[in-house]
Amino acid sequence: DKLRAILNGILNTFGFAYQTSYSIKTGINDLLFSDLEDSYQGHIAEDSNCDVLITINEKHFSSFAEKSSVEVLTPQQFIEKYV
């Protein structure tokens, strides 16, 4: 019950990105990324108008962060800035 309460609190506090075929297709063809999974995540975040993308692979998103309005943060950076 405690875990459910925590997870529901997170879901009620933050929005989550919705995956579309357009985001996936864009991610497949974006040569800025060497990792397809990172590319998908970046494009889904951007297409969903996310404010922040949280990742432990901050270096993989450096080129994306330069051209995108989505702020790329590590979990620690997110906590320090927003919590």
Side-chain angles (χ1 to χ4, degrees):
D1 289 332
K2 185 176 180 179
L3 177 58
R4 285 190 171 96
I6 291 169
L7 293 174
N8 280 314
I10 291 170
L11 291 172
N12 291 330
T13 303
F14 301 101
F16 293 84
Y18 180 75
Q19 178 179 332
T20 65
S21 61
Y22 174 80
S23 300
I24 298 298
K25 288 177 185 177
T26 304
I28 289 170
N29 294 299
D30 188 340
L31 301 178
L32 290 177
F33 287 94
S34 59
D35 185 319
L36 280 178
E37 184 178 308
D38 292 339
S39 186
Y40 299 149
Q41 292 171 8
H43 286 283
I44 290 167
E46 192 169 58
D47 294 343
S48 299
N49 296 315
C50 291
D51 297 317
V52 178
L53 186 152
I54 301 170
T55 179
I56 58 172
N57 295 321
E58 190 180 26
K59 292 178 185 175
H60 293 185
F61 290 90
S62 59
S63 295
F64 172 79
E66 290 174 9
K67 71 173 189 71
S68 177
S69 62
V70 178
E71 184 176 17
V72 178
L73 299 173
T74 64
Q76 185 64 39
Q77 290 169 327
F78 179 82
I79 290 169
E80 290 170 1
K81 187 169 184 176
Y82 292 105
V83 176

